[in-house]
Amino acid sequence: MSRDRYVDFLRAWAIVLVVLGHWLITGLVREPGGAISAPELLAVVPWTQWLTLGFQIMPLFFLAGGRSAGDSWSRARAAGGTAAGWVGRRSLRLLLPTAVYSGLVLLAVGICAAVGVDSGTLSLVGWAMGMQFWFLPVYLVLGALTPVLHAAHGRWGLRVPLAVAAAAALADVLVLAAHAPYVGLLDYVLVWGVAYQLGFCWGDGLLTRNRTTPVALAAGGAVAFAALVGPGPFPVSLILVTGQDPSNTDPPSVAMLAWAVAQVGLCVLVAPAVRRWLVHDRVWRLVRPVGGVSMTLYLWHMLPVLVLAAAFYLTGLAPEPAFGSPSWWALRVPWLLLLGLVLAGVVRLLRPVDRGLAAVSGRTRPAAAPRRPWLVWLGLAAAVPALARFAVQGFAPDGRFPVLPAAGLAVGTALVGLPWDRARRGSPEAKDALEPAA
């Protein structure tokens, strides 16, 4: 089965917008005493919340992930693979680079704490280095549920995402009306699970059999979003704003669900035109490298912010016009360019690490039918909560080393990788090992 360049393009496009969005809203200020603070742009300059409509692109990650996961699981099942073996292989490709990244950040946290770095500064930096982690536990859970979700898709098709969407809406009602915040945690899986499940439907042609389906998704999602953020109770921002209640992202709201559905419909509508564009080798040579390092970009893209903060803000070299002023916005252009140059250097330095992780993932990973499948599930049970803790509290909560989450991620990654099996060249499992992690 040939790879769909459009799915790879979606990954690349999504990661580029995520990186640019995080960089754009990150504004640094040098305080009179020399400390560095990071005012919340979306709260200080409220009109910028409208920009999140363009930069909140995570539905495409889950749509592309569902599309590729459905194809991959179908091949593995046809070749005699088991759910535990497939889930273990897919999970390990996410956990290995994440564990390496986390280990290096935690090492830096431990050193900084030992030499007496200010706890507030350490906590802020630790949060900045883990802010993107929310995606990982959700994606790992959906990956673990893929065999069940795909079986449901095979039986009920489009009725599955409709049922999941209804469950997400019900959970949102309970959060708002019954003040049951813990019920909202389900929406992390339910809301993003709709986009993931629609990826199965897209792969099987259920979204493309007639033009009315993607049009209905795009138009219906957009109209529902407008109603929910206009006369409805939800804010326009699709990124968390401190103090904003209700929020569209913490947990994902029914408004976020509507926007995700609209994005899916638009994505399917423009697919033929973009595929014709991607046929050209010159275009593909620009897209393919980004997709190949998508996990590296996702994990490491906040490191350049720390580098520039140390080089220009701690030293007082950075010009500092009024936060959110026209001059401040003009300086966003060199800010983004410098961050891009630093990130390109980071990616280049990490190239040997990426090759090493790809080799480990391709040659040593859970067997297609591991003898101890419970190790895979136990490993995920340890790793997922650890990643969620990093996403919420960062790598240095209150300036302290996070012992339990660090141990959970290390043990979880090891357990997922314990049922080792050497890949057979040319097998469906070996081919899947070469796919992007997300």
Side-chain angles (χ1 to χ4, degrees), residues 271-358:
V274 179
R275 283 193 177 102
R276 288 193 295 270
W277 180 59
L278 293 171
V279 166
H280 302 291
D281 288 338
R282 284 181 296 181
V283 175
W284 184 239
R285 281 197 295 268
L286 294 175
V287 174
R288 186 176 183 180
V290 178
V293 295
S294 59
M295 194 65 181
T296 303
L297 294 174
Y298 188 80
L299 288 172
W300 290 92
H301 72 270
M302 290 304 289
L303 178 61
V305 174
L306 302 184
V307 172
L308 293 194
F312 294 103
Y313 285 87
L314 284 178
T315 59
L317 295 175
E320 292 198 61
F323 194 87
S325 67
S327 298
W328 185 87
W329 281 104
L331 287 173
R332 293 283 88 184
V333 176
W335 167 256
L336 294 176
L337 291 175
L338 285 173
L339 288 172
L341 289 173
V342 175
L343 183 58
V346 171
V347 170
R348 187 173 183 85
L349 287 173
L350 290 172
R351 193 174 296 168
V353 177
D354 289 341
R355 285 198 293 262
L357 289 176

Coordinates of all heavy atoms in Angstrom, one line a residue, residues 271-358:
A271 N -8.6 18.1 -0.1 CA -7.6 17.0 -0.3 C -7.3 16.8 -1.8 O -6.1 16.7 -2.1 CB -8.1 15.7 0.3
P272 N -8.2 16.7 -2.7 CA -7.8 16.5 -4.1 C -6.9 17.6 -4.6 O -5.9 17.3 -5.3 CB -9.2 16.5 -4.8 CG -10.2 16.1 -3.8 CD -9.7 16.7 -2.5
A273 N -7.2 18.8 -4.3 CA -6.4 19.9 -4.8 C -5.0 19.9 -4.2 O -4.0 20.1 -4.9 CB -7.1 21.3 -4.5
V274 N -4.9 19.6 -2.9 CA -3.6 19.6 -2.3 C -2.8 18.4 -2.8 O -1.6 18.4 -3.0 CB -3.7 19.5 -0.8 CG1 -2.3 19.5 -0.1 CG2 -4.5 20.8 -0.3
R275 N -3.4 17.2 -3.0 CA -2.7 16.1 -3.6 C -2.1 16.4 -4.9 O -1.0 15.9 -5.2 CB -3.7 14.9 -3.6 CG -4.0 14.2 -2.3 CD -4.7 12.9 -2.5 NE -4.9 12.2 -1.2 CZ -6.0 12.1 -0.6 NH1 -7.1 12.7 -1.1 NH2 -6.2 11.5 0.6
R276 N -2.8 17.1 -5.8 CA -2.3 17.5 -7.1 C -1.0 18.3 -6.9 O -0.1 18.2 -7.7 CB -3.3 18.2 -7.9 CG -4.5 17.3 -8.4 CD -5.3 18.0 -9.5 NE -6.0 19.1 -9.0 CZ -7.2 19.0 -8.4 NH1 -7.9 17.9 -8.4 NH2 -7.9 20.1 -8.0
W277 N -1.0 19.2 -5.9 CA 0.1 20.0 -5.6 C 1.3 19.2 -5.1 O 2.4 19.4 -5.4 CB -0.4 21.1 -4.6 CG 0.7 22.1 -4.2 CD1 1.4 22.9 -5.0 CD2 1.1 22.3 -2.8 NE1 2.2 23.7 -4.2 CE2 2.0 23.4 -2.9 CE3 0.7 21.8 -1.6 CZ2 2.6 23.8 -1.7 CZ3 1.3 22.3 -0.5 CH2 2.3 23.3 -0.6
L278 N 1.0 18.2 -4.3 CA 2.0 17.4 -3.6 C 2.7 16.4 -4.6 O 3.7 15.8 -4.3 CB 1.5 16.6 -2.5 CG 1.0 17.5 -1.2 CD1 0.3 16.6 -0.2 CD2 2.2 18.1 -0.6
V279 N 2.1 16.2 -5.8 CA 2.7 15.3 -6.8 C 4.1 15.9 -7.2 O 5.0 15.1 -7.6 CB 1.8 15.2 -8.0 CG1 2.5 14.5 -9.2 CG2 0.6 14.3 -7.6
H280 N 4.2 17.2 -7.3 CA 5.4 17.8 -7.7 C 6.6 17.6 -6.8 O 6.5 17.8 -5.5 CB 5.3 19.3 -7.9 CG 4.1 19.7 -8.8 ND1 4.2 19.5 -10.2 CD2 2.9 20.3 -8.6 CE1 3.1 19.9 -10.8 NE2 2.3 20.4 -9.8
D281 N 7.7 17.1 -7.3 CA 8.8 16.7 -6.4 C 9.4 17.8 -5.6 O 9.8 17.7 -4.5 CB 9.9 16.0 -7.3 CG 9.5 14.6 -7.8 OD1 8.6 14.0 -7.1 OD2 10.1 14.2 -8.8
R282 N 9.4 19.0 -6.2 CA 10.0 20.2 -5.5 C 9.1 20.5 -4.3 O 9.7 20.9 -3.3 CB 10.0 21.4 -6.5 CG 11.2 21.3 -7.5 CD 11.2 22.6 -8.3 NE 10.0 22.7 -9.2 CZ 9.7 23.6 -10.0 NH1 10.6 24.6 -10.2 NH2 8.6 23.7 -10.8
V283 N 7.8 20.4 -4.4 CA 7.0 20.6 -3.2 C 7.2 19.5 -2.2 O 7.3 19.8 -1.0 CB 5.5 20.7 -3.7 CG1 4.6 20.8 -2.5 CG2 5.3 21.8 -4.6
W284 N 7.2 18.3 -2.6 CA 7.4 17.2 -1.7 C 8.7 17.2 -1.0 O 8.8 16.8 0.2 CB 7.2 15.9 -2.5 CG 7.2 14.6 -1.6 CD1 8.1 13.6 -1.7 CD2 6.4 14.4 -0.5 NE1 7.8 12.7 -0.7 CE2 6.8 13.1 0.0 CE3 5.3 15.0 0.1 CZ2 6.1 12.5 1.1 CZ3 4.6 14.5 1.2 CH2 5.1 13.2 1.7
R285 N 9.7 17.7 -1.6 CA 11.0 17.8 -1.0 C 11.0 18.8 0.2 O 11.8 18.8 1.1 CB 12.1 18.2 -2.0 CG 12.6 17.0 -2.8 CD 13.9 17.3 -3.5 NE 13.8 18.4 -4.5 CZ 13.5 18.1 -5.8 NH1 13.3 16.9 -6.2 NH2 13.4 19.2 -6.6
L286 N 10.1 19.7 0.1 CA 9.9 20.7 1.2 C 9.1 20.1 2.4 O 9.3 20.4 3.5 CB 9.3 22.0 0.7 CG 10.1 22.8 -0.2 CD1 9.2 24.0 -0.7 CD2 11.3 23.4 0.4
V287 N 8.1 19.3 2.0 CA 7.2 18.8 3.0 C 7.7 17.6 3.7 O 7.6 17.5 5.0 CB 5.8 18.4 2.3 CG1 4.9 17.7 3.3 CG2 5.2 19.6 1.7
R288 N 8.4 16.7 3.0 CA 8.8 15.4 3.6 C 9.7 15.5 4.8 O 9.6 14.8 5.8 CB 9.4 14.5 2.5 CG 9.7 13.1 3.0 CD 10.2 12.2 1.9 NE 10.5 10.9 2.4 CZ 10.9 9.9 1.6 NH1 11.2 10.1 0.3 NH2 11.2 8.7 2.1
P289 N 10.8 16.4 4.7 CA 11.7 16.5 5.8 C 11.0 17.0 7.1 O 11.4 16.5 8.2 CB 12.7 17.5 5.4 CG 12.6 17.5 3.9 CD 11.2 17.2 3.6
V290 N 10.0 17.8 7.0 CA 9.3 18.3 8.2 C 8.5 17.1 8.8 O 8.6 17.0 10.1 CB 8.3 19.4 7.8 CG1 7.5 19.9 9.1 CG2 9.1 20.6 7.2
G291 N 7.8 16.3 8.0 CA 7.1 15.2 8.6 C 8.1 14.2 9.2 O 7.7 13.6 10.2
G292 N 9.3 14.1 8.7 CA 10.2 13.1 9.2 C 10.8 13.5 10.6 O 11.2 12.6 11.3
V293 N 10.7 14.8 10.9 CA 11.2 15.2 12.2 C 10.1 15.8 13.0 O 10.4 16.6 14.0 CB 12.4 16.2 12.0 CG1 13.6 15.5 11.4 CG2 12.0 17.4 11.3
S294 N 8.9 15.4 12.8 CA 7.8 16.0 13.4 C 7.8 15.8 15.0 O 7.5 16.8 15.7 CB 6.4 15.5 12.9 OG 6.4 14.1 13.1
M295 N 8.2 14.7 15.4 CA 8.3 14.4 16.9 C 9.4 15.2 17.5 O 9.2 15.8 18.6 CB 8.5 12.9 17.1 CG 8.3 12.5 18.6 SD 6.5 12.7 19.0 CE 6.6 12.2 20.7
T296 N 10.5 15.4 16.8 CA 11.6 16.2 17.3 C 11.2 17.7 17.4 O 11.4 18.3 18.4 CB 12.8 16.1 16.4 OG1 13.2 14.7 16.3 CG2 14.0 16.9 17.0
L297 N 10.5 18.2 16.4 CA 10.0 19.5 16.4 C 9.0 19.7 17.5 O 9.1 20.8 18.3 CB 9.4 19.9 15.1 CG 10.3 19.9 13.9 CD1 9.5 20.2 12.6 CD2 11.3 21.0 14.0
Y298 N 8.1 18.8 17.7 CA 7.1 18.9 18.7 C 7.7 18.9 20.1 O 7.3 19.7 21.0 CB 6.1 17.8 18.6 CG 4.9 17.9 19.5 CD1 3.8 18.8 19.1 CD2 4.8 17.2 20.7 CE1 2.7 18.9 19.9 CE2 3.7 17.4 21.5 CZ 2.7 18.2 21.1 OH 1.6 18.4 21.9
L299 N 8.6 18.1 20.4 CA 9.2 18.0 21.7 C 10.1 19.1 22.0 O 10.1 19.7 23.2 CB 10.0 16.7 21.9 CG 9.1 15.4 21.9 CD1 10.1 14.1 21.9 CD2 8.3 15.3 23.2
W300 N 10.9 19.6 21.1 CA 12.1 20.5 21.4 C 11.8 21.9 21.0 O 12.7 22.8 21.2 CB 13.3 20.0 20.7 CG 13.9 18.7 21.2 CD1 13.6 17.4 20.8 CD2 14.8 18.6 22.3 NE1 14.3 16.5 21.6 CE2 15.0 17.2 22.5 CE3 15.5 19.5 23.1 CZ2 15.9 16.7 23.5 CZ3 16.3 19.0 24.1 CH2 16.5 17.6 24.3
H301 N 10.6 22.3 20.5 CA 10.5 23.6 20.0 C 10.5 24.8 21.0 O 10.6 25.9 20.6 CB 9.2 23.7 19.1 CG 7.9 23.7 19.8 ND1 7.3 22.5 20.2 CD2 7.2 24.7 20.3 CE1 6.1 22.8 20.8 NE2 6.1 24.2 20.9
M302 N 10.3 24.5 22.3 CA 10.4 25.5 23.3 C 11.8 25.8 23.8 O 12.1 26.8 24.4 CB 9.5 25.2 24.4 CG 8.0 25.3 24.1 SD 7.5 26.9 23.5 CE 7.6 28.0 24.9
L303 N 12.8 24.9 23.5 CA 14.1 25.1 23.9 C 14.7 26.4 23.2 O 15.4 27.1 23.9 CB 15.0 23.9 23.5 CG 16.5 24.0 23.8 CD1 16.7 24.2 25.3 CD2 17.2 22.8 23.3
P304 N 14.5 26.7 22.0 CA 15.0 27.9 21.4 C 14.5 29.2 22.2 O 15.2 30.2 22.2 CB 14.5 27.9 20.0 CG 14.3 26.5 19.6 CD 13.9 25.8 20.9
V305 N 13.3 29.1 22.7 CA 12.8 30.2 23.5 C 13.7 30.5 24.7 O 14.1 31.6 25.0 CB 11.4 30.0 24.0 CG1 10.9 31.1 24.9 CG2 10.4 29.9 22.8
L306 N 14.1 29.4 25.4 CA 15.0 29.5 26.5 C 16.4 30.1 26.1 O 17.0 30.9 26.8 CB 15.2 28.2 27.2 CG 13.9 27.5 27.7 CD1 14.2 26.3 28.5 CD2 13.1 28.5 28.6
V307 N 16.9 29.6 24.9 CA 18.2 30.0 24.4 C 18.1 31.6 24.2 O 19.0 32.3 24.6 CB 18.5 29.3 23.2 CG1 19.8 29.9 22.5 CG2 18.8 27.8 23.5
L308 N 17.1 32.0 23.5 CA 17.0 33.5 23.2 C 16.7 34.3 24.5 O 17.2 35.4 24.6 CB 15.9 33.7 22.2 CG 16.2 33.2 20.8 CD1 15.2 33.8 19.8 CD2 17.6 33.4 20.3
A309 N 16.0 33.7 25.4 CA 15.8 34.4 26.7 C 17.1 34.6 27.4 O 17.3 35.7 27.9 CB 14.8 33.6 27.5
A310 N 18.0 33.6 27.4 CA 19.3 33.8 28.1 C 20.2 34.7 27.3 O 20.9 35.5 27.9 CB 19.9 32.4 28.2
A311 N 20.1 34.7 25.9 CA 21.0 35.5 25.1 C 20.7 36.9 25.1 O 21.5 37.8 25.1 CB 21.1 34.9 23.7
F312 N 19.4 37.2 25.1 CA 18.9 38.6 24.8 C 18.2 39.3 26.0 O 18.3 40.5 26.1 CB 18.1 38.7 23.6 CG 18.8 38.3 22.3 CD1 18.7 37.1 21.7 CD2 19.7 39.2 21.7 CE1 19.3 36.7 20.5 CE2 20.3 38.9 20.5 CZ 20.2 37.7 20.0
Y313 N 17.4 38.5 26.7 CA 16.7 39.1 27.8 C 17.4 39.1 29.1 O 17.4 40.2 29.8 CB 15.3 38.4 28.0 CG 14.3 38.7 26.9 CD1 14.4 38.0 25.7 CD2 13.4 39.7 27.0 CE1 13.5 38.3 24.6 CE2 12.6 40.1 26.0 CZ 12.6 39.4 24.8 OH 11.7 39.7 23.8
L314 N 18.1 38.0 29.5 CA 18.9 38.1 30.7 C 20.0 39.1 30.6 O 20.4 39.7 31.6 CB 19.4 36.7 31.0 CG 18.4 35.7 31.6 CD1 19.1 34.3 31.8 CD2 17.8 36.1 32.9
T315 N 20.5 39.3 29.4 CA 21.6 40.2 29.2 C 21.1 41.7 29.0 O 21.9 42.6 29.0 CB 22.4 39.8 28.0 OG1 21.6 39.8 26.9 CG2 23.1 38.5 28.2
G316 N 19.8 41.8 28.8 CA 19.3 43.2 28.6 C 19.5 43.7 27.2 O 19.3 44.9 26.9
L317 N 19.9 42.8 26.3 CA 20.1 43.2 24.9 C 18.8 43.4 24.1 O 18.8 44.1 23.1 CB 21.1 42.3 24.2 CG 22.5 42.2 24.8 CD1 23.3 41.1 24.1 CD2 23.2 43.5 24.6
A318 N 17.8 42.7 24.5 CA 16.6 42.7 23.7 C 15.8 44.0 23.8 O 15.6 44.5 25.0 CB 15.6 41.6 24.1
P319 N 15.4 44.7 22.7 CA 14.6 45.9 22.8 C 13.2 45.5 23.4 O 12.7 44.4 23.0 CB 14.5 46.4 21.4 CG 14.7 45.2 20.6 CD 15.7 44.3 21.3
E320 N 12.6 46.3 24.3 CA 11.4 45.9 24.9 C 10.4 47.1 24.8 O 10.2 47.8 25.8 CB 11.6 45.5 26.4 CG 12.4 44.3 26.5 CD 12.3 43.7 27.9 OE1 11.2 43.3 28.3 OE2 13.3 43.6 28.6
P321 N 9.7 47.2 23.6 CA 8.6 48.1 23.6 C 7.4 47.6 24.4 O 7.4 46.5 24.9 CB 8.3 48.1 22.1 CG 8.7 46.8 21.6 CD 9.9 46.4 22.4
A322 N 6.4 48.5 24.6 CA 5.3 48.1 25.4 C 4.7 46.8 24.9 O 4.5 46.6 23.7 CB 4.2 49.2 25.3
F323 N 4.4 45.9 25.8 CA 3.8 44.6 25.5 C 2.5 44.7 24.7 O 1.6 45.3 25.1 CB 3.6 43.8 26.8 CG 3.4 42.3 26.5 CD1 4.5 41.5 26.5 CD2 2.1 41.8 26.4 CE1 4.3 40.1 26.3 CE2 1.9 40.4 26.2 CZ 3.0 39.6 26.1
G324 N 2.5 44.1 23.5 CA 1.3 44.2 22.6 C 1.2 45.4 21.8 O 0.2 45.5 21.0
S325 N 2.2 46.3 21.8 CA 2.1 47.5 21.0 C 2.5 47.2 19.6 O 3.0 46.1 19.3 CB 3.1 48.6 21.6 OG 4.4 48.1 21.4
P326 N 2.3 48.1 18.6 CA 2.7 47.9 17.2 C 4.2 47.6 17.1 O 4.5 46.7 16.3 CB 2.3 49.2 16.5 CG 1.1 49.7 17.3 CD 1.4 49.4 18.7
S327 N 5.0 48.3 17.8 CA 6.4 48.0 17.8 C 6.7 46.6 18.3 O 7.6 45.9 17.7 CB 7.2 49.0 18.6 OG 7.0 50.3 18.1
W328 N 6.0 46.2 19.3 CA 6.2 44.8 19.9 C 5.9 43.8 18.8 O 6.6 42.8 18.6 CB 5.3 44.6 21.1 CG 5.5 43.3 21.8 CD1 6.4 43.0 22.8 CD2 4.8 42.1 21.6 NE1 6.3 41.7 23.2 CE2 5.3 41.2 22.5 CE3 3.7 41.8 20.7 CZ2 4.8 39.9 22.5 CZ3 3.2 40.5 20.8 CH2 3.7 39.6 21.7
W329 N 4.8 44.0 18.1 CA 4.3 43.1 17.0 C 5.4 43.1 15.9 O 5.6 42.0 15.3 CB 3.0 43.4 16.5 CG 1.9 42.9 17.4 CD1 1.1 43.7 18.2 CD2 1.4 41.6 17.6 NE1 0.2 42.9 18.9 CE2 0.4 41.6 18.5 CE3 1.8 40.4 17.0 CZ2 -0.3 40.4 18.9 CZ3 1.1 39.2 17.4 CH2 0.1 39.2 18.3
A330 N 5.9 44.2 15.5 CA 6.9 44.3 14.5 C 8.1 43.4 14.8 O 8.7 42.8 14.0 CB 7.3 45.7 14.2
L331 N 8.5 43.4 16.1 CA 9.6 42.6 16.6 C 9.3 41.1 16.6 O 10.3 40.3 16.8 CB 10.1 43.1 18.0 CG 10.8 44.4 18.0 CD1 11.0 44.8 19.4 CD2 12.1 44.3 17.3
R332 N 8.1 40.7 16.4 CA 7.7 39.3 16.3 C 8.4 38.7 15.1 O 8.7 37.4 15.1 CB 6.2 39.1 16.2 CG 5.4 39.5 17.5 CD 5.5 38.4 18.6 NE 6.6 38.7 19.5 CZ 6.9 37.9 20.5 NH1 6.2 36.7 20.7 NH2 7.9 38.1 21.3
V333 N 8.6 39.4 14.1 CA 9.2 38.9 12.8 C 10.6 38.4 13.1 O 10.9 37.2 12.8 CB 9.1 39.9 11.7 CG1 9.8 39.3 10.4 CG2 7.7 40.2 11.3
P334 N 11.5 39.2 13.6 CA 12.9 38.7 13.8 C 12.9 37.7 15.0 O 13.7 36.8 15.0 CB 13.7 40.0 14.2 CG 12.7 41.0 14.6 CD 11.5 40.7 13.7
W335 N 12.0 37.8 15.9 CA 11.8 36.8 17.0 C 11.6 35.4 16.4 O 12.2 34.5 16.7 CB 10.7 37.3 17.9 CG 10.2 36.3 18.9 CD1 9.0 35.6 18.8 CD2 10.8 35.8 20.1 NE1 8.9 34.7 19.9 CE2 9.9 34.9 20.7 CE3 12.0 36.2 20.8 CZ2 10.2 34.3 22.0 CZ3 12.3 35.6 22.0 CH2 11.4 34.6 22.6
L336 N 10.6 35.3 15.5 CA 10.3 34.1 14.9 C 11.4 33.5 14.0 O 11.7 32.3 14.0 CB 9.0 34.2 14.1 CG 7.7 34.5 14.8 CD1 6.5 34.6 13.9 CD2 7.4 33.3 15.8
L337 N 12.1 34.4 13.3 CA 13.2 34.0 12.4 C 14.3 33.5 13.3 O 14.9 32.4 12.9 CB 13.7 35.2 11.6 CG 12.7 35.7 10.5 CD1 13.2 36.9 9.8 CD2 12.5 34.5 9.5
L338 N 14.7 34.2 14.3 CA 15.8 33.7 15.2 C 15.4 32.4 15.9 O 16.3 31.4 15.9 CB 16.1 34.7 16.3 CG 16.8 36.0 15.8 CD1 16.9 37.0 16.9 CD2 18.2 35.6 15.3
L339 N 14.2 32.2 16.3 CA 13.8 30.9 16.9 C 13.9 29.8 15.9 O 14.3 28.7 16.2 CB 12.3 31.1 17.4 CG 12.1 31.9 18.7 CD1 10.6 32.1 19.0 CD2 12.8 31.2 19.9
G340 N 13.5 30.1 14.6 CA 13.6 29.1 13.6 C 15.0 28.7 13.3 O 15.3 27.5 13.1
L341 N 15.9 29.6 13.3 CA 17.3 29.3 13.1 C 17.8 28.4 14.2 O 18.6 27.4 14.0 CB 18.1 30.6 13.0 CG 17.9 31.4 11.7 CD1 18.7 32.7 11.8 CD2 18.4 30.6 10.5
V342 N 17.5 28.8 15.5 CA 18.0 28.0 16.6 C 17.4 26.6 16.6 O 18.1 25.6 16.8 CB 17.6 28.7 17.9 CG1 18.0 27.8 19.1 CG2 18.3 30.0 18.0
L343 N 16.1 26.5 16.2 CA 15.5 25.2 16.2 C 16.1 24.3 15.1 O 16.2 23.1 15.3 CB 13.9 25.3 16.0 CG 13.2 24.0 16.0 CD1 13.4 23.2 17.3 CD2 11.7 24.2 15.7
A344 N 16.4 24.9 14.0 CA 17.0 24.2 12.9 C 18.4 23.6 13.4 O 18.7 22.5 13.0 CB 17.3 25.1 11.7
G345 N 19.1 24.4 14.1 CA 20.4 23.9 14.7 C 20.2 22.8 15.7 O 20.9 21.8 15.7
V346 N 19.1 22.9 16.5 CA 18.8 21.8 17.5 C 18.5 20.5 16.8 O 18.9 19.5 17.1 CB 17.6 22.3 18.4 CG1 17.1 21.1 19.2 CG2 18.0 23.4 19.3
V347 N 17.6 20.6 15.7 CA 17.2 19.5 14.9 C 18.5 18.8 14.3 O 18.6 17.6 14.3 CB 16.2 19.8 13.9 CG1 16.0 18.7 12.9 CG2 14.9 20.2 14.5
R348 N 19.4 19.6 13.8 CA 20.6 19.1 13.2 C 21.4 18.4 14.2 O 22.0 17.3 14.0 CB 21.4 20.2 12.5 CG 22.6 19.7 11.7 CD 23.2 20.8 10.9 NE 24.3 20.4 10.1 CZ 24.1 19.9 8.9 NH1 22.9 19.8 8.4 NH2 25.2 19.5 8.2
L349 N 21.6 19.0 15.4 CA 22.4 18.3 16.5 C 21.8 17.0 16.9 O 22.5 16.1 17.3 CB 22.5 19.3 17.6 CG 23.5 20.5 17.5 CD1 23.4 21.4 18.7 CD2 24.9 20.0 17.3
L350 N 20.4 17.0 16.9 CA 19.7 15.8 17.4 C 19.6 14.7 16.3 O 19.0 13.6 16.6 CB 18.3 16.1 17.9 CG 18.3 17.0 19.2 CD1 16.9 17.4 19.4 CD2 18.8 16.1 20.3
R351 N 20.1 14.9 15.1 CA 19.9 14.0 14.0 C 20.5 12.6 14.4 O 19.8 11.6 14.1 CB 20.5 14.5 12.7 CG 20.2 13.7 11.5 CD 20.7 14.4 10.2 NE 20.1 15.7 10.1 CZ 20.5 16.6 9.2 NH1 21.6 16.3 8.4 NH2 19.9 17.8 9.0
P352 N 21.7 12.5 14.9 CA 22.2 11.2 15.3 C 21.3 10.5 16.4 O 21.1 9.3 16.3 CB 23.6 11.5 15.9 CG 24.0 12.8 15.3 CD 22.7 13.5 15.2
V353 N 20.8 11.3 17.3 CA 19.9 10.7 18.3 C 18.6 10.2 17.6 O 18.2 9.1 18.0 CB 19.5 11.8 19.4 CG1 18.5 11.2 20.4 CG2 20.7 12.3 20.1
D354 N 18.0 10.9 16.7 CA 16.8 10.5 16.0 C 17.1 9.2 15.2 O 16.3 8.3 15.2 CB 16.4 11.5 15.0 CG 15.8 12.7 15.8 OD1 15.4 12.6 16.9 OD2 15.7 13.8 15.1
R355 N 18.3 9.1 14.6 CA 18.6 7.9 13.8 C 18.8 6.7 14.8 O 18.3 5.6 14.5 CB 19.9 8.1 13.0 CG 19.7 8.9 11.8 CD 20.8 8.8 10.8 NE 22.1 9.3 11.4 CZ 22.6 10.5 11.1 NH1 21.9 11.3 10.2 NH2 23.7 10.9 11.6
G356 N 19.4 7.0 15.9 CA 19.5 5.9 16.9 C 18.2 5.4 17.5 O 18.0 4.2 17.6
L357 N 17.3 6.3 17.7 CA 16.0 6.0 18.3 C 15.2 5.2 17.2 O 14.5 4.3 17.5 CB 15.2 7.2 18.7 CG 15.7 7.9 20.0 CD1 15.0 9.2 20.2 CD2 15.6 7.0 21.2
A358 N 15.3 5.6 15.9 CA 14.6 4.9 14.8 C 15.1 3.5 14.7 O 14.4 2.6 14.5 CB 14.8 5.7 13.5

